[in-house]
Amino acid sequence: MTRTLYLFGSAAPPVFDVARVIEDAQARGWDVCLGLTPTAADWLQDGLDGLAALTGHPVRSRYKRPGEPDVWPKADAILVAPATFNTVNAWALGLTDRFVVGVVAEGIGKGIPMAVMPCVNAAYVQHRAFERSVQELREMGVRVLYGEGGFVPNQPGQGRPEAYPWSLALDAVDSLVPAVGS
């Protein structure tokens, strides 16, 4: 039985590696559905058809209209990575004007296993709202991969997207929903 992973990405430079991450997740036995914030979808606009072909599902960045059928299978787990300062704070506050944040906010109430790995610089994390948001998500049962054993912020302008620890994020969702037979 295949596990279904909703992979949600925000507009941070590691999102440009999402095709490779999808392939890695598929190799681990995940059926991947890709959701993007509107800005991330804009950044990846030229490759969205290819990403849809890779996953076998439409790439989504907007809510469906009332009465439209759901085009994705039910999620077994959700991974939000890279998660920007805005996405982390909006999720913790329940501000669901964006599709990605709406799904994960509702996912808490549905009991869907979730992990999030931020991608923020060291200046953003000085804002008190960020630490409160991280704590709030942890208290709601979300596995937050931030700090030791997760994402460690760089100084502004010194980010290294190629060093974003995608394997830690995939390991986390694997541990939330182990493959059948593992």
Side-chain angles (χ1 to χ4, degrees):
M1 185 166 110
T2 303
R3 305 169 294 168
T4 299
L5 174 66
Y6 289 5
L7 174 59
F8 289 159
S10 303
V15 79
F16 289 108
D17 288 333
V18 75
R20 180 186 55 79
V21 175
I22 290 166
E23 291 170 340
D24 290 351
Q26 290 170 330
R28 293 171 180 235
W30 289 101
D31 176 24
V32 181
C33 298
L34 179 62
L36 300 166
T37 62
T39 303
D42 181 60
W43 286 9
L44 298 176
Q45 182 63 44
D46 293 341
L48 293 180
D49 290 341
L51 292 168
L54 179 61
T55 64
H57 304 285
V59 176
R60 295 186 60 195
S61 61
R62 302 196 187 303
Y63 285 107
K64 66 181 184 70
R65 292 186 178 112
E68 286 183 344
D70 221 340
V71 294
W72 287 355
K74 182 178 173 277
D76 293 303
I78 301 174
L79 172 60
V80 184
T84 60
F85 178 80
N86 188 52
T87 296
V88 169
N89 289 321
W91 183 7
L93 291 170
L95 303 176
T96 61
D97 59 325
R98 289 179 291 142
F99 166 72
V100 164
V101 177
V103 173
V104 293
E106 185 178 38
I108 290 170
K110 289 181 172 181
I112 299 171
M114 289 185 276
V116 59
M117 188 159 58
C119 185
V120 295
N121 69 39
Y124 275 122
V125 301
Q126 297 306 307
H127 194 291
R128 294 185 330 184
F130 184 76
E131 192 58 45
R132 285 194 298 259
S133 294
V134 165
Q135 186 59 33
E136 187 71 21
L137 292 173
R138 285 180 172 146
E139 289 175 7
M140 288 188 275
V142 177
R143 173 137 348 136
V144 181
L145 304 165
Y146 171 70
E148 189 176 328
F151 178 79
V152 177
N154 297 301
Q155 291 302 314
Q158 296 180 8
R160 295 184 2 256
E162 72 284 354
Y164 189 72
W166 281 109
S167 61
L168 293 176
L170 292 175
D171 289 347
V173 292
D174 279 341
S175 72
L176 292 172
V177 182
V180 176
S182 354

